[in-house]
Amino acid sequence: MKARPRFRSIALLLALGILLAPAAGLAAQAKSIILMIGDGMGPSQFGAAWLYSNRVLGRELRMVEVMKSGRTAYVVNDALDAIVTESAAAATQIATGVRVKMKAVGMAPDRKTPLKTILELAKEKGMSTGLVTTSGITDATPAAFASHVTHRSDEISVASQELQVGVDVLMGGRKQFFLPEAAGGKRTDGRDLMDEARKEGYAVVGTADELQQANGGKLLGLFNMGDMAFEIDRSKTAEPSLAEMAAKTLEVLAKNPKGFFVMIEGGRIDHAAHRNDAAATIRDTLAFDEAVGVALEFQRRNPDTLLIVTADHETGGMALFGQGKHSKDYVTAGLSVIQKAQASFDVIVGEFGKNPTPDKIREVVKKHLAIEITVEEAKVVANDTIRKLDPKNFSNATLHSLAFVLRPYLRVGWATQTHTASPLFAFGSGPGSEELVGFRHNTELFQIMKGALAVGQ
Ligand SMILES: [Zn+2]
């Protein structure tokens, strides 16, 4: 039967409306969202990993593959009460779209009114949810998506809230906040959240092998009492890589026909940069990049997925410079020297022991970094000179003096041991990613995700 002319024109108008919708500011619909956060990954960490990947490993970053789609935004991230932010405020702003005060998690500026997060909105829509990190799963970044506490240090409450909200996949370190004191944990309420999770139907795993074998719809992976190992040290542990965790997470969450929201964090880029440890920073950024590759492959197989890659803030004021110790020629950063590093500064400083002699310092540095520092340089480390010169910006014992002594060898400098106000990138692919262009405040990332899910409108 032929449609009558009036109905035909209505149908035509409707079709036109659908075609014009994106131009009118209505975001494209996404079934699922993968949000990836490189904690502490400013443009300089990204750039260092790009140089290392191309010049040492001979391959392009997966993040560059995403960026080349042309959807990249310049992102600023100031908090309500500070120009230099930290993970709790930054993640809360990304998760809720509200500019908040420092150190509170998932709370309005009054520090006591919970803000609804993108994960909670997805949950209300019947979607599955996940949080994955190499830091603690109770650390500020994952916490801000599924919990609400006055101060980020309240990780005991974060752990119970994450399970109470019913996040389907939780993976990372800091098992200590899931176990009672009697079992070697930090919980003062006597609860064993791992046991409770098992009763709620979670598969609970603690090693890379157990993770491989896990199946079902809910997964709690706790791989370390503290943070997971730095990537550079990981081979000595039974811990999975961030890419392995990402792959398993996507496999589990993709079972829900209503889609999912997941936040996957490279949590230790920040920690390595706090220690001014260039090799560990680059390796953890590359581990994050590998996880981005897993997400990108998923996004390509499931084009109705919005993939966003960003950071919460820059850490350390990292800078690669060109001049060497004995020449003013631009001789390039010491990538081949960085390549030889076998251990994180944590391992190295641990091996120095208490009050190390310059000889001991020279021996340990040579063993793990293949660098022969001079006796004079070893004395700077032994006396912890840099910390004495600027004790607030460089407060970790020995680490920053070591980093300063290594400057001429690695040709990597650090402005501070804390965060900086450096702007960031956000880039992505899939429906909604067309919004990731130009100049954005990190609070707008929430609006972009919410728009893509068409929730709460
Ligand atoms: Zn940090």
Side-chain angles (χ1 to χ4, degrees):
M1 202 170 88
K2 262 182 150 182
R4 279 183 294 168
R6 186 197 291 196
F7 284 100
R8 270 215 302 265
S9 52
I10 289 171
L12 189 70
L13 277 173
L14 278 172
L16 258 176
I18 288 162
L19 285 173
L20 294 176
L26 292 174
Q29 283 273 131
K31 178 183 171 187
S32 301
I33 295 180
I34 306 172
L35 171 65
M36 304 201 59
I37 298 179
D39 199 311
M41 188 184 72
S44 49
Q45 284 80 6
F46 178 93
W50 177 79
L51 282 169
Y52 189 91
S53 189
N54 278 274
R55 290 177 177 245
V56 176
L57 306 176
R59 60 171 186 256
E60 186 52 278
L61 290 181
R62 306 306 304 271
M63 288 191 277
V64 170
E65 267 185 66
V66 181
M67 274 184 145
K68 279 188 171 172
S69 70
R71 287 155 178 191
T72 301
Y74 179 97
V75 177
V76 291
N77 60 350
D78 63 329
L80 195 61
D81 57 345
I83 56 163
V84 177
T85 194
E86 46 78 53
S87 293
T92 300
Q93 292 186 173
I94 294 170
T96 70
V98 179
R99 197 177 286 189
V100 295
K101 289 187 179 166
M102 302 278 273
K103 304 284 175 81
V105 170
M107 292 291 200
D110 64 2
R111 298 183 195 276
K112 56 187 181 198
T113 308
L115 294 166
K116 188 158 280 186
T117 73
I118 187 71
L119 182 146
E120 289 163 342
L121 287 169
K123 186 102 195 153
E124 283 173 7
K125 222 181 161 219
M127 299 164 73
S128 290
T129 57
L131 295 170
V132 180
T133 183
T134 46
S135 176
I137 191 60
T138 52
D139 201 0
T141 307
F145 288 84
S147 67
H148 308 273
V149 294
T150 302
H151 196 280
R152 57 182 287 174
S153 61
D154 185 8
E155 295 183 58
I156 290 175
S157 300
V158 170
S160 36
Q161 288 185 31
E162 285 175 342
L163 284 170
Q164 197 183 336
V165 167
V167 183
D168 301 286
V169 175
L170 288 163
M171 271 196 249
R174 302 197 195 169
K175 184 160 75 176
Q176 58 190 335
F177 296 107
F178 289 75
L179 291 173
E181 287 173 314
K186 288 256 170 83
R187 296 199 70 85
T188 45
D189 58 5
R191 287 171 69 183
D192 182 335
L193 297 186
M194 294 176 73
D195 209 36
E196 291 179 25
R198 259 182 225 107
K199 285 174 188 150
E200 290 289 325
Y202 282 84
V204 180
V205 299
T207 65
D209 282 346
E210 287 172 11
L211 177 65
Q212 283 301 322
Q213 280 145 33
N215 51 36
K218 288 168 127 190
L219 187 53
L220 173 63
L222 296 168
F223 304 102
N224 200 310
M225 281 300 235
D227 295 326
M228 291 178 71
F230 284 114
E231 182 63 19
I232 200 169
D233 300 328
R234 189 173 61 85
S235 61
K236 298 140 208 151
T237 72
E239 298 176 13
S241 68
L242 185 60
E244 287 166 343
M245 293 197 285
K248 177 58 86 173
T249 300
L250 296 176
E251 177 193 317
V252 170
L253 297 180
K255 290 174 186 162
N256 186 341
K258 289 185 173 170
F260 62 84
F261 168 85
V262 65
M263 190 289 297
I264 300 171
E265 183 195 32
R268 303 222 73 197
I269 302 166
D270 172 65
H271 296 173
H274 272 293
R275 288 158 173 79
N276 296 170
D277 183 346
T281 301
I282 290 173
R283 300 282 175 89
D284 263 83
T285 307
L286 291 172
F288 177 71
D289 187 66
E290 203 186 320
V292 170
V294 169
L296 182 60
E297 299 299 334
F298 182 93
Q299 198 280 329
R300 283 176 178 157
R301 287 195 307 276
N302 303 275
D304 51 2
T305 306
L306 168 60
L307 168 65
I308 298 179
V309 185
T310 191
D312 51 356
H313 53 73
E314 197 273 345
T315 302
M318 185 189 195
L320 272 59
F321 53 88
Q323 292 177 358
K325 198 171 183 180
H326 305 292
S327 163
K328 278 197 165 184
D329 294 333
Y330 278 97
V331 285
T332 187
L335 299 175
S336 56
V337 185
I338 292 169
Q339 186 187 15
K340 294 191 184 110
Q342 299 288 331
S344 68
F345 278 15
D346 273 9
V347 169
I348 292 168
V349 168
E351 227 169 287
F352 285 167
K354 267 211 148 125
N355 303 320
T357 62
D359 279 349
K360 175 76 175 173
I361 289 165
R362 295 183 75 206
E363 178 199 316
V364 175
V365 167
K366 190 178 174 193
K367 177 182 161 193
H368 290 296
L369 302 179
I371 296 171
E372 294 199 45
I373 60 171
T374 65
V375 176
E376 282 308 308
E377 288 165 342
K379 281 181 186 166
V380 172
V381 181
N383 295 330
D384 212 354
T385 309
I386 301 303
R387 185 159 65 126
K388 284 172 188 155
L389 288 172
D390 192 356
K392 292 298 174 199
N393 264 308
F394 297 107
S395 63
N396 289 314
T398 318
L399 291 168
H400 312 297
S401 297
L402 176 63
F404 197 87
V405 157
L406 292 173
R407 274 170 58 104
Y409 300 93
L410 307 178
R411 298 183 201 109
V412 177
W414 299 90
T416 176
Q417 66 142 23
T418 60
H419 303 161
T420 72
S422 165
L424 311 163
F425 295 129
F427 44 95
S429 57
S433 67
E434 61 279 355
E435 300 287 331
L436 295 170
V437 288
F439 182 91
R440 297 285 187 183
H441 192 267
N442 66 355
T443 46
E444 290 178 90
L445 296 175
F446 168 79
Q447 306 299 346
I448 291 168
M449 294 188 285
K450 186 177 158 189
L453 290 184
V455 288
Q457 293 172 337

